[in-house]
Amino acid sequence: MKLKITITGPKVHDVGYRPWLTEKAVDLALRGFEVYNDAEGDLQSVVALVDSDKRRATQFFEFAKAELPPLARIDDIRSEPYDEEIQPLWQSATPGTFVQINKAVPILQEMREDLREVKTNTNLIPEIAENTRPIPEIAEKQDVIIDEIRGLHREMTFDAGWRARIESDIQAIKAKIGIR
């Protein structure tokens, strides 16, 4: 069964929707899966293409209707039959890994530099303590932020495993056909 699932709303881009859906596709072991950002008029949209048996495709659609990333704001989720080719799940998940890592690297580099500065300049510690008293808006969103960080960690861990498996499979194929 092939489905095209379209999720529209004022905020469905840059909230982790694609990795969120990819993780569920992996959990359900979908045969084929693609996900990309799009737009419908003034609304953002995320499109997921699913290829699987009827039970798993239906489960995926029910998940997409029932759950969403914490920062997403949606208006509509709909499904329709789809007749075109859909990439194998592993093939579409691999580039997503690098996209997420590329988003995290600058943040991690900045954090590393901040930590280096704190280590070398211990006079900053009282100033940091004074300037980091909880801001009410941040304190209210703390759980959402922690969930996002955990989600990024899961994505990066999952993607590293997939990458290792793909590399191992490539080496096995090369060995079988005599390519170094």
Side-chain angles (χ1 to χ4, degrees), residues 3 5-8 17 20-21 24 48 57-69 74-80:
L3 293 177
I5 299 167
T6 306
I7 303 163
T8 57
Y17 234 124
W20 175 274
L21 294 173
K24 187 61 176 181
T58 302
Q59 280 182 309
F60 184 86
F61 181 57
E62 293 303 319
F63 166 80
K65 288 193 311 185
E67 307 224 8
L68 60 145
I74 65 168
D75 289 338
D76 185 41
I77 298 177
R78 65 185 180 282
S79 167
E80 60 188 276

Side-chain angles (χ1 to χ4, degrees), residues 35-106:
V35 64
Y36 57 91
N37 285 340
D38 207 355
E40 290 187 2
D42 293 340
L43 294 177
Q44 298 174 355
S45 67
V46 173
V47 177
L49 305 175
V50 174
D51 181 7
S52 192
D53 59 79
K54 184 176 181 177
R55 181 181 61 83
R56 289 180 183 168
T58 302
Q59 280 182 309
F60 184 86
F61 181 57
E62 293 303 319
F63 166 80
K65 288 193 311 185
E67 307 224 8
L68 60 145
L71 298 176
R73 293 194 341 258
I74 65 168
D75 289 338
D76 185 41
I77 298 177
R78 65 185 180 282
S79 167
E80 60 188 276
Y82 188 76
D83 295 327
E84 303 295 321
E85 281 294 312
I86 299 175
Q87 291 181 357
L89 173 59
W90 68 267
Q91 194 172 354
S92 65
T94 302
T97 302
F98 298 107
V99 169
Q100 295 307 312
I101 289 172
N102 283 339
K103 288 180 180 179
V105 166

